[in-house]
Amino acid sequence: MIWVNQIVQGLLLGGYYALIACGLSFMYGVMRIINIAHGSFAILAAFALWELSSRFAISPFAGLAAILPLLAMVGWILQRAVLDRSARGGTLVPILSTFGLAIMIDNLLFQQFGADTRSLAPYLDTLSYDSWSLTDDIYIGKLAAMIFAAAVVLLGGLQLFLGHTQLGRSIRATAADPDTVGLIGVNAKRVNAAAAAIAMVTVGVAGAFLAMRATFNPYAGPLQLIFAFEAAVIGGAGSLWGTLGGGIVLGVAQSIGAQIDPQGFLIAGHLVFFVVLFARLYAGNGGFAGAMRNLRRRLV
Amino acid sequence: MSGWNPLAPLPAVERWTPLAKVSAAAGVALLVLLALGPLILNANLLDKLTTLFIYVILALMWNALAGYGGLVSIGQQAFFGLGAYGAIRLADAGVNVYLSLVASALLVGLVAQPVSAFMLRLKAGEFAIGMWVLAELAHLLVNLDKLVQGETGTSLIALTAYQADSRRATIYWLALAAMAVLSGIVFALLRSRTGAAIQAIRDDEEAAAAVGVRVLGTKRIIFILAATGTAMAGALWLATAISFQPKTYFGVQWTAYMIFMVLVGGLGTFEGPLLGAVIFFTIEAWFGGSGVWYLVGLGGTALAFSLLLPRGIWGAVERRLSLRLLPVGYHLKVPLGIPESNMTEGASGQAPSAVAEIPPVER
């Protein structure tokens, strides 16, 4: 029964990973850029919310609503000032520039807030520990369920947005061929900036939920980037629903690993990442989504 | 080619320019002079120079990987940490402690072989972060070793059997030798047939593949070399620090330092990382004590260089002055008075001069 519970908790944890991964996956899908500062921005958002809650007693949810437009602006500026410019130098330069940016953000946060570990849980009333009990051994935390639901809504929303709005179609067209869209009157730079703004909003949501469900400190960013990357790669980078699958695989692997050994949480996560990668590289393409397709093809 | 005059002297390809001869000789002389270090320098200076040599190795290796192989890795700390860990393990098994430093680096190079087969299938950003995940995994697995005792760590106790002075001198010589050998290997590699392949891949991987360059095989050579060299640096660092705490060795800051040195010095140039290592060493000596702001500055500088001067200081110098101290490329020497149509395409646009130097690689 303890194993069933671990799997259920891992599944819910996968919701968070899908949230943190969807911005990374989205950016990669549109611009073929991996923003190394991705996790650091999530932690930046978490600190902004913590500041609002602890100093001005603003509820984290209200705070999130307040900072999301700011984050969208940050995303826009990041794209115009850093990513656009460095992408001109080739595919490798954005990795270097965003790595430099990540080091700056992490250390500036440390300078400002010190090494203390913080959490938004104290500002959530009972939400941080409320739960429904399914059986005597299996509980579902309300916050965890909420995060999972948020991930589904966000991923579904992005999917609808990409498929059914003018901007969404422009983003997909730009992703497919940034040079040609210019010929049909789409400003690729502006579209990319909009995509970066959207990605940064998802980063803000992920950072907020990270801060609510767990603790964070100024140097927590890189690990969040790694989780996001693992979930995105397991799911097949660029595929939104695959990202949810990837997050779930990662979350379940980690919570099973934690049950086996206290050190097992991270190790199991990294291992499953490499196993999936290995399988993908040697057996076919498309990550989780592709593997499922292959499986279906083989079964039918 | 209507104006072509068969009697005009033909442009000659030159590798050892006079300047290159002088600077190569100066380099060798400097190495000889440095080898005399323990006989004349005090302990403090020796330690500092040993640190500088390790930085040079790190910069050289990361530059070989990223600048020449086009492989940006954020996980080189994996090899740095494994190099140190391997030395701990070998020394614990009874191997001579100095020998264990070198053997550990070679063992890591051996391990890098199968790793490369797998990791090199990843592209650009995926490779970069994939390597980081690998470093995290290596760190966690090393933590599981009973000998290391998790984050508590252990020490290279065997080293304390030697007297402090002789130990300092030996490690200094070892670091100097490692630096000289590794830069020699990079130098020889770049001048060989593989070097031409490497520089072709650096400039355009697909085009290189199209003209028959074995892209994957060539990248593997660089990957394994970089892993071995970085592991050597890690083992040497352990020899100077003696204590081994996994967190310090597997920390991503090592890769941050490498990136800083190479970006500032000049990505994809031979001289750049040497310059970058000296700059980093100097900056660290001045500002290393200021803690967090120092790191903010490093990150900011890396960001600024990647945006504004992606070829680093040396890259800019090279382009403006067409200056090359070490002969890893080819120069086209066009004799005076040659009709313009006799020149190669690249030179024809330049102002008339006695010697038109064409950088070996047009960007």
Side-chain angles (χ1 to χ4, degrees):
Chain A
M1 214 50 183
I2 190 109
W3 294 100
V4 178
N5 185 46
Q6 283 301 320
I7 289 170
V8 170
Q9 301 311 323
L11 207 122
L12 291 170
L13 181 59
Y16 165 70
Y17 291 143
L19 266 183
I20 186 88
C22 89
L24 193 79
S25 180
F26 183 66
M27 288 276 278
Y28 186 74
V30 176
M31 283 167 269
R32 301 278 140 196
I33 283 178
I34 293 182
N35 174 12
I36 307 281
H38 186 83
S40 303
F41 277 112
I43 301 301
L44 181 69
F47 269 106
L49 289 179
W50 183 83
E51 192 76 356
L52 287 176
S53 296
S54 65
R55 190 171 290 185
F56 305 106
I58 297 171
S59 124
F61 291 103
L64 182 61
I67 66 161
L68 284 185
L70 283 175
L71 282 166
M73 266 171 60
V74 170
W76 183 282
I77 294 167
L78 174 75
Q79 175 63 30
R80 297 308 290 257
V82 176
L83 299 181
D84 233 9
R85 224 194 138 92
S86 45
R88 260 179 275 148
T91 49
L92 300 179
V93 185
I95 306 173
L96 302 174
S97 59
T98 53
F99 185 59
L101 190 64
I103 296 171
M104 279 183 82
I105 293 173
D106 295 351
N107 287 292
L108 284 171
L109 285 175
F110 182 81
Q111 180 66 33
Q112 185 64 32
F113 296 101
D116 291 350
T117 303
R118 296 193 168 86
S119 176
L120 286 179
Y123 307 103
L124 291 177
D125 288 330
T126 59
L127 181 63
S128 57
Y129 49 83
D130 274 351
S131 63
W132 299 290
S133 60
L134 295 189
T135 68
D136 286 345
D137 302 303
I138 302 174
Y139 293 88
I140 290 184
K142 286 190 178 165
L143 181 61
M146 187 179 178
I147 294 173
F148 194 90
V152 173
V153 168
L154 199 64
L155 287 165
L158 266 179
Q159 198 86 25
L160 285 175
F161 162 78
L162 285 176
H164 297 279
T165 64
Q166 183 60 41
L167 179 58
R169 279 191 290 268
S170 302
I171 288 176
R172 283 194 299 152
T174 310
D177 191 337
D179 296 324
T180 309
V181 289
L183 301 175
I184 53 166
V186 174
N187 183 340
K189 278 191 176 172
R190 196 168 293 171
V191 168
N192 283 344
I198 292 167
M200 199 57 80
V201 166
T202 70
V203 169
V205 174
F209 282 126
L210 166 71
M212 290 180 202
R213 59 162 270 272
T215 58
F216 60 97
N217 67 56
Y219 292 121
L223 195 58
Q224 302 311 310
L225 166 75
I226 286 179
F227 289 153
F229 176 73
E230 287 176 335
V233 168
I234 294 172
S239 137
L240 287 176
W241 288 118
T243 303
L244 183 62
I248 291 173
V249 169
L250 181 64
V252 169
Q254 287 181 339
S255 55
I256 290 176
Q259 187 62 36
I260 296 169
D261 184 278
Q263 299 262 5
F265 181 82
L266 289 171
I267 294 179
H270 297 329
L271 281 179
V272 81
F273 163 77
F274 278 116
V275 167
V276 171
L277 205 56
F278 195 82
R280 188 181 109 198
L281 289 176
Y282 290 95
N285 303 312
F288 183 75
M292 283 291 126
R293 226 173 300 134
N294 284 347
L295 194 68
R296 214 160 35 225
R297 215 169 294 146
R298 219 160 284 168
L299 289 177
V300 178
Chain B
M1 299 275 270
S2 54
W4 192 65
N5 169 15
L7 296 176
L10 286 169
V13 174
E14 195 177 45
R15 175 159 250 186
W16 285 98
T17 60
L19 179 64
K21 281 178 191 160
V22 172
S23 55
V28 172
L30 182 67
L31 281 180
V32 172
L33 206 67
L34 283 173
L36 301 176
L39 307 177
I40 32 181
L41 300 175
N42 66 30
N44 182 31
L45 226 61
L46 279 184
D47 283 345
K48 288 219 163 109
L49 280 175
T50 309
T51 306
L52 176 62
F53 299 157
I54 296 173
Y55 289 163
V56 170
I57 295 174
L58 290 177
L60 263 176
M61 291 299 109
W62 201 83
N63 180 54
L65 196 65
Y68 291 117
L71 297 162
V72 169
S73 159
I74 303 185
Q76 290 310 96
Q77 66 273 22
F79 302 120
F80 189 83
L82 285 176
Y85 168 71
I88 291 264
R89 262 281 160 209
L90 288 172
D92 185 65
V95 179
N96 171 284
V97 66
Y98 294 123
L99 188 66
S100 72
L101 301 178
V102 181
S104 167
L106 295 176
L107 273 178
V108 172
L110 219 59
V111 172
Q113 168 85 16
V115 171
S116 73
F118 178 55
M119 294 307 291
L120 289 179
R121 287 165 156 262
L122 300 178
K123 293 268 170 266
E126 283 194 322
F127 173 79
I129 311 181
M131 286 301 299
W132 196 350
V133 177
L134 194 70
E136 292 288 311
L137 185 60
H139 178 187
L140 291 165
L141 293 178
V142 164
N143 272 357
L144 291 181
D145 188 339
K146 291 271 189 316
L147 184 68
V148 175
Q149 312 170 67
E151 293 297 355
T152 318
T154 178
S155 310
L156 195 62
I157 311 156
L159 210 53
T160 51
Y162 296 86
Q163 217 205 332
D165 278 344
S166 86
R167 192 170 74 208
R168 180 172 286 116
T170 313
I171 294 166
Y172 173 92
W173 274 318
L174 213 54
L176 180 65
M179 180 182 79
V181 168
L182 286 167
S183 35
I185 292 176
V186 173
F187 183 68
L189 198 65
L190 288 179
R191 284 168 56 87
S192 71
R193 228 183 127 73
T194 311
I198 290 170
Q199 305 201 13
I201 293 170
R202 173 190 66 180
D203 295 330
D204 190 335
E205 195 174 317
E206 280 165 22
V211 296
V213 171
R214 282 177 55 241
V215 173
L216 202 63
T218 310
K219 282 186 170 185
R220 277 185 90 161
I221 295 174
I222 303 175
F223 183 89
I224 293 166
L225 171 69
T228 314
T230 309
M232 188 69 229
L236 286 167
W237 192 267
L238 172 71
T240 59
I242 296 186
S243 71
F244 177 76
Q245 281 155 323
K247 217 179 206 156
T248 358
Y249 286 79
F250 286 100
V252 73
Q253 81 272 10
W254 288 107
T255 295
Y257 298 159
M258 295 177 215
I259 291 182
F260 177 87
M261 291 187 279
V262 174
L263 262 184
V264 170
L267 184 71
T269 64
F270 186 83
E271 299 89 341
L274 307 177
L275 177 69
V278 173
I279 292 174
F280 175 66
F281 178 76
T282 316
I283 289 177
E284 198 196 28
W286 283 343
F287 302 109
S290 54
V292 176
W293 283 114
Y294 160 70
L295 292 168
V296 173
L298 284 190
T301 314
L303 174 64
F305 266 87
S306 61
L307 290 179
L308 306 173
L309 207 60
R311 307 267 297 138
I313 294 173
W314 194 259
V317 168
E318 212 174 65
R319 186 152 43 181
R320 299 251 158 79
L321 307 177
S322 192
L323 181 72
R324 256 152 211 281
L325 294 185
L326 291 166
V328 289
Y330 292 96
H331 295 241
L332 196 59
K333 194 175 170 187
V334 184
L336 195 64
I338 195 165
E340 226 177 54
S341 58
N342 269 17
M343 294 195 205
T344 48
E345 215 186 328
S348 58
Q350 291 188 357
S353 65
V355 175
E357 295 236 17
I358 302 169
V361 176
E362 285 296 328
R363 210 163 299 275

